[in-house]
Amino acid sequence: MAFLELHDLKTHFPVPGSGLFSSTSDVIKAVDGVTLKVEKGSILGLVGESGCGKSTLSRTVMQLQPATSGTVILDGENLTDLQRNEVRMRRLDFQMIFQDPYASLNPRMTVYSTLAEAICQRHPNLKKDRPTLTQKVSQLMATVGLDSRYMRKYPHEFSGGQRQRIAIARALAPEPKLIIADEPVSALDVSIQSQILNLLLDLRNDLGLTMIFISHDLSVVRYIADEIAVMYGGKIVEYGNGEEVFHNPKDEYTKRLLSAIPHFKATA
Ligand SMILES: Nc1ncnc2c1ncn2[C@@H]1O[C@H](COP(=O)(O)OP(=O)(O)OP(=O)(O)O)[C@@H](O)[C@H]1O
Ligand SMILES: [Mg+2]
């Protein structure tokens, strides 16, 4: 069994106002029968155009959005069976990294407070143990390539790339089983993008991190992902080893995505 398994996962939303004048109501099939596997220590790249259901899929995997049907199995445990109070603790096993670290970090909290709070979500007993917390915060900062002398600084005192490093450290702090990165480099300068991608690759190699990396940019996904899943209209239309998907796309939509990359020919 793979580390993360999705079986025929569906997330449908009712269309507001539909069903008023008829017995059938319309639904938006944001996620419509997704079956996927992610092995421990690997990076799944999830690509597809805006509105195809990438974020809804990740919210459903994290149990932030209830599934309409289907199952999510993480580390052998069926999360779709859990009771509400159990779900809250399990959410720590999933951490997200977002596109805009400035919006996702609290501007009034120092790096120390942000990371200490995230560490204490997993280890509440450390709340009063400042020396251990300080040591753990230093370690986390070092892990993401930040100087721990800056732990008393606020998000606005860092550059965009450094802020994304803080956001990555915060995601690591509760020792998650899976990281979901939703367009984590789209808001960064191209030169900074590769630094963050390399950091994520290093973390995968050094810590055995398992990750779903969401992007609409196939060239970024190709760089970082082991497996690629192409999503279209709530369904996975193509799935396979990264290089395979690139060199031998089977689906028409994937071929169109590939041909939209400058200097790339799907037939090459
Ligand atoms: N809470 C919700 N209620 C109703 N419809 C929703 C809800 N969340 C998402 N949708 C719809 O589900 C579909 C998929 O949206 P989603 O945000 O998952 O796409 P996405 O692939 O993440 O897009 P983007 O690349 O722009 O982030 C869209 O049609 C969206 O309008
Ligand atoms: Mg999205």
Side-chain angles (χ1 to χ4, degrees), residues 50-94:
S50 183
C52 73
K54 304 179 297 293
S55 295
T56 306
L57 177 63
S58 57
R59 290 175 56 81
T60 309
V61 168
M62 297 174 72
Q63 310 297 306
L64 287 171
Q65 170 69 49
T68 307
S69 65
T71 50
V72 178
I73 298 169
L74 179 70
D75 203 5
E77 185 176 40
N78 187 343
L79 302 183
T80 26
D81 277 350
L82 293 177
Q83 303 295 316
R84 264 171 173 272
N85 57 338
E86 294 174 306
V87 168
R88 277 193 58 212
M89 259 330 265
R90 287 316 188 293
R91 278 209 195 111
L92 283 183
D93 289 338
F94 299 99

